Amino acid sequence: MIKPRSLARPRKVNKVPFVELYAGRLQGVVSSGSDPNRVYVSYFEAQSGNFYCSTNNNRPCGGLRGSPCKHLLALLDEALLQYGAARVVAYMGLGIEPEKVKRGGDLQRAMKGGPHKVEAGMVFSRFLTYLHYVNLPPTSAPIPEMGWFVR
Amino acid sequence: MSFAELQAPPEAVVQASAALDALDDAFVTGFGRLSSGNLEALASLQRSFAATPLAAAFAEAITGIGRSEFLDRHFLVLAAARSAIQGAVHDALVAQASAALGRPTPADEAIAGGHGQAAPPQAEVLLESARQWLMELALAGFANLDVDVILPFQATLDAIEEEPRLAREAALLAGLLGELLAVFPCRGAPEIPRMRWVDLWSRAMILAAGAPATRASRAVKGELRILGADLQQHDTFATLVVYASLHEAGQAAPRLCRASVSSFKVDVVQGAELGPIFAEVGKVLLSGLAVGGRILLDGMLLQEGGDLLWDDAKAELIGKGDPLAEAAAVLGAATPAQRPTLAPADRHPALIGELVYLAEGSYTVAGKGEPALTIDGANVAVAVERWPESEGLVVSDLAGSKGLVGLLRYDGGAWSIQPLTIAKGKAAPRMLASEIAAALGKKSSSSSLSTLKERAGKLLRKKR
């Protein structure tokens, strides 16, 4: 049996609605701290450590000045919560000890990349793919295989 | 009832596990680079299938794989052989448990009809892609996986999830994919839960051979009395399984049955937030669970294996019940043979869940973090690893409990008990997953789900 990780605290869904490790990137969607109508799309690239943060219509985040903005740091914090330091450190290819990583800033100091623009739509479409799960209809048919998955 | 008889598994089970272990080595190494030791293990396994209907296909598969002729049907044979062994292990273990508990082995009900339907053509294409991917995993070997082998399957999986007839395959593959992605990419030697992954791989391969046959069913009328529930989930799928006794009109003895509701979900949706999702198909079932209640069924379909195909329109909550008293009555000396089973192709030791009732005073609890029960002098572990995160029932409820309903489980070569419902004397019994049901009536102002949808809406609007 594999016992999945139990989270130290619930995810702050309002602040960071979406975070994932996917296709060589740690990426996600982060709410603006000042404007409830604004949402940012943020990512870090594994290995290179390159990053970017922009609104969905590809306008760069004003906080990006050669180093990660607060949205990117919030993304790292939530990734640590969701996946655990060991998995994030391994995925990003960082040469640091996971036991010493307590918050997003510890990860950020180990990453050497700079701002590198990618299309925000790529991350956004992943968010929509993720949300498609909640639109699939429930069923009352027996699913015996779920006996393997305990939490 | 003698738990002393369950201290060790039957000898044949131990031997079968050793044979499986040798086969699993090949899955870790990868069929594209088998060692001579792996080939010997395969040949040895082939010999033990010599007198079975799988003999010819097995021989062909071994020859084919030896010639680097990699076809999904060869790997399907390996999955079938492995599942056959696990099925036999399941049967031996259920027989052992039934004997120790002093009850008849569970039996399917004889119901006429129930023929499988072929998967729709669209589904066949998806299943073929799934078989292909599973074969690629086996060729590479679990120890040598790369994200490039794992990730491209996501698109196929998304399509499988859209096909309601493939719900079992979708739930399983989503769980397996999630676990693979949790380990890879990795630095250094990956930690492989080998037996588990080969089990999941085998079952996924079998289900990808074709949608399983629909089990025969009949309509039932009578009173359902809830005994307890189990919650099973991974990041993107959750299942609530409710165990109950069914007192049918015109039948002298009750039978035991299962009812379940399942849904896809996202990782942040957990606990009470599952309530409204499950309620879409099983509101009455959830309301019953909240009060350990009694539900009147009229025309509900019951499958031969003891699974109710839940339909809220055919159910009506009568009122509160007494799960512990009911368990004492139906799980004692007269435990019926008519209780939930698995279809022959689904039998697997990890899926055994034999309902048991322990009366107040018949057991003592020792240990806190890793509690164990002492029953008639025999030690039985509590299946803490199976204990879902549920406010309805927590590990500390065990101490000072006044009786419990649980499931006898088998994992890692030993039996254990997973409590579902625990009596607390004068207070209402504590029931696993009951908080999911109890939260239904309360309107929560902000759920994770509504937040996600609202945030996605903001992104969409900006896109204009």
Side-chain angles (χ1 to χ4, degrees):
Chain A
M1 284 295 152
I2 283 194
K3 180 91 178 164
R5 285 175 45 76
S6 53
L7 305 189
R9 60 163 169 84
R11 279 260 318 277
K12 288 176 183 165
V13 178
N14 194 34
K15 211 174 157 196
V16 183
F18 177 55
V19 58
E20 69 169 0
L21 300 173
Y22 186 81
R25 288 184 302 272
L26 189 174
Q27 59 191 16
V29 173
V30 184
S31 301
S32 160
S34 52
D35 181 353
N37 287 316
R38 194 175 301 158
V39 187
Y40 290 92
V41 169
S42 316
Y43 90 98
F44 284 94
E45 194 174 64
Q47 312 304 334
S48 74
N50 286 337
F51 54 85
Y52 203 65
C53 181
S54 62
T55 63
N56 192 49
N57 46 8
N58 290 318
R59 194 164 303 155
C61 168
L64 268 188
R65 292 187 197 92
S67 62
C69 59
K70 60 184 177 182
H71 308 115
L72 280 159
L73 281 173
L75 184 71
L76 290 177
D77 281 336
E78 289 295 288
L80 282 178
L81 177 69
Q82 181 75 44
Y83 298 107
R87 188 171 165 198
V88 177
V89 166
Y91 195 93
M92 301 306 287
L94 302 177
I96 50 175
E97 286 174 45
E99 297 76 33
K100 294 192 176 153
V101 175
K102 300 290 174 229
R103 56 187 69 79
D106 300 335
L107 286 173
Q108 187 235 318
R109 277 189 292 281
M111 287 195 262
K112 303 294 176 218
H116 186 265
K117 188 175 175 175
V118 289
E119 288 296 308
M122 183 179 63
V123 180
F124 181 51
S125 75
R126 280 292 303 164
F127 185 37
L128 292 185
T129 304
Y130 167 85
L131 280 177
H132 97 283
Y133 283 112
V134 301
N135 293 322
L136 295 168
T139 176
S140 62
I143 315 281
E145 286 69 33
M146 287 307 289
W148 266 291
F149 300 97
V150 292
R151 167 139 67 193
Chain B
M1 204 158 64
S2 167
F3 280 89
E5 291 173 33
L6 298 179
Q7 295 300 297
E11 184 52 31
V13 167
V14 177
Q15 287 165 5
S17 304
L20 287 181
D21 204 41
L23 173 62
D24 292 355
D25 276 339
F27 280 91
V28 175
T29 314
F31 284 84
R33 58 185 102 184
L34 291 179
S35 68
S36 56
N38 295 142
L39 288 167
E40 273 167 37
L42 283 172
S44 155
L45 193 64
Q46 185 200 335
R47 281 193 295 279
S48 45
F49 277 84
T52 71
L54 269 179
F58 208 140
E60 196 192 340
I62 298 297
T63 315
I65 291 171
R67 279 201 305 257
S68 300
E69 176 191 293
F70 299 130
L71 300 172
D72 59 350
R73 65 187 159 90
H74 293 336
F75 288 87
L76 180 57
V77 172
L78 293 179
R82 202 174 181 290
S83 302
I85 295 176
Q86 291 287 36
V89 168
H90 164 280
D91 291 357
L93 288 169
V94 168
Q96 185 196 28
S98 301
L101 297 170
R103 50 176 75 169
T105 49
D108 279 355
E109 193 176 321
I111 302 174
H115 295 288
Q117 296 157 302
Q122 159 70 1
E124 184 41 52
V125 175
L126 296 173
L127 292 179
E128 195 185 330
S129 306
R131 293 197 300 271
Q132 196 65 33
W133 179 67
L134 290 166
M135 183 175 77
E136 283 169 27
L137 294 184
L139 286 175
F142 285 129
N144 318 305
L145 289 184
D146 198 294
V147 186
D148 299 342
V149 184
I150 306 170
L151 262 191
F153 184 64
Q154 182 71 54
T156 308
L157 180 58
D158 289 346
I160 290 175
E161 287 163 349
E162 299 280 346
E163 176 58 67
R165 298 260 293 277
L166 303 182
R168 288 175 58 183
E169 180 76 331
L172 173 60
L173 285 171
L176 175 60
L177 187 70
E179 286 182 19
L180 295 177
L181 286 174
V183 172
F184 298 101
C186 75
R187 288 154 66 91
E191 265 183 60
I192 310 288
R194 40 183 253 153
M195 185 172 189
R196 174 184 174 82
W197 279 3
V198 186
D199 277 341
L200 299 181
W201 181 94
S202 301
R203 176 58 61 91
M205 194 57 142
I206 299 279
L207 290 175
T214 318
R215 306 215 75 194
S217 60
R218 66 178 173 91
V220 294
K221 183 172 181 168
E223 188 181 312
L224 191 72
R225 297 178 186 167
I226 292 176
L227 300 171
D230 187 16
L231 180 66
Q232 306 163 339
Q233 57 179 325
H234 57 65
D235 276 351
T236 54
F237 199 86
T239 294
L240 178 74
V241 186
V242 176
Y243 293 86
S245 64
L246 173 62
H247 296 254
E248 284 186 80
Q251 294 279 335
R255 61 155 300 147
L256 296 169
C257 54
R258 245 180 335 222
S260 69
V261 285
S262 302
S263 179
F264 287 96
K265 68 181 200 74
V266 290
D267 48 9
V268 295
V269 171
Q270 286 182 19
E273 291 197 352
L274 288 166
I277 305 176
F278 286 151
E280 285 179 45
V281 283
K283 193 166 193 299
V284 179
L285 186 63
L286 283 177
S287 311
L289 177 60
V291 296
R294 297 174 294 129
I295 297 172
L296 197 63
L297 304 183
D298 190 356
M300 185 83 74
L301 288 179
L302 174 73
Q303 290 187 328
E304 53 192 335
D307 285 294
L308 287 165
L309 295 179
W310 197 262
D311 179 353
D312 264 349
K314 289 165 181 156
E316 183 195 341
L317 183 63
I318 315 171
K320 268 183 77 157
D322 186 342
L324 274 303
E326 179 64 13
V330 297
L331 294 173
T335 304
Q338 306 253 292
R339 52 187 201 271
T341 62
L342 292 160
D346 298 344
R347 290 180 190 158
H348 189 289
L351 306 183
I352 294 173
E354 186 71 26
L355 278 169
V356 290
Y357 167 70
L358 301 179
E360 179 178 9
S362 72
Y363 65 97
T364 54
V365 183
K368 281 193 174 147
E370 301 266 317
L373 303 178
T374 307
I375 309 164
D376 291 337
N379 278 315
V380 185
V382 174
V384 182
E385 74 286 351
R386 289 221 188 224
W387 205 307
E389 269 173 35
S390 162
E391 290 159 28
L393 188 71
V394 293
V395 178
S396 59
D397 285 329
L398 263 178
S401 59
K402 314 271 186 210
L404 66 86
V405 181
L407 293 170
L408 189 63
R409 298 288 202 180
Y410 184 84
D411 191 24
W415 290 100
S416 57
I417 286 182
Q418 178 193 0
L420 303 181
T421 303
I422 291 181
K424 295 302 276 184
K426 281 181 186 156
R430 302 273 291 157
M431 297 181 79
L432 209 147
S434 56
E435 81 281 7
I436 295 179
L440 259 193
K442 300 169 198 150
K443 201 76 185 143
S444 127
S445 56
S446 71
S447 69
S448 302
L449 213 51
S450 59
T451 306
L452 287 179
K453 286 182 171 168
E454 185 268 345
R455 293 283 91 185
K458 291 286 182 281
L459 276 168
L460 277 171
R461 215 165 303 145
K462 281 185 159 267
K463 213 171 183 181
R464 249 190 335 222

